[in-house]
Amino acid sequence: MRCPPLAVAFASDRRRLAEVSRRSSRITHADPRCTEGFAVLNLTVSALLRGADAPLRDALDVLYDAPNELVAALGPIASGETPDALRTSGY
């Protein structure tokens, strides 16, 4: 619910978008996988708004310090694999 408004408001400043996304996420989801996941989602939406060719890849490129678990899960999707490649933790 909080994601799209931030992605729209900060679409032109990716670093700032990542930071405000992390802060917003920490209110209810302090785990780094969540805070970075929130940033990935917002950066992806922002990239879509800017017409990027590879929005998820662009988002992951901004988040150089994202948890390995998150990058490992999303990297294949960003490289063109189908979402069927995603694994769930069950939560």
Side-chain angles (χ1 to χ4, degrees):
M1 292 180 358
R2 299 186 298 253
C3 286
L6 292 175
V8 172
F10 295 96
S12 63
D13 187 346
R14 297 183 313 164
R15 300 264 180 226
R16 181 83 173 124
L17 174 57
E19 181 54 35
V20 297
S21 296
R22 288 181 192 108
R23 284 190 207 165
S24 182
S25 176
R26 282 186 197 116
I27 295 168
T28 54
H29 299 82
D31 185 293
R33 293 169 299 179
C34 296
T35 57
E36 294 301 314
F38 195 100
V40 167
L41 179 57
N42 276 339
L43 287 163
T44 302
V45 170
S46 168
L48 286 167
L49 292 172
R50 291 190 327 275
D53 292 329
L56 180 55
R57 172 55 45 211
D58 289 357
L60 292 175
D61 288 346
V62 172
L63 301 176
Y64 56 87
D65 58 348
N68 291 336
E69 187 176 5
L70 185 63
V71 174
L74 296 176
I77 306 303
S79 297
E81 289 189 31
T82 65
D84 296 336
L86 286 172
R87 295 178 192 224
T88 179
S89 65
Y91 290 102

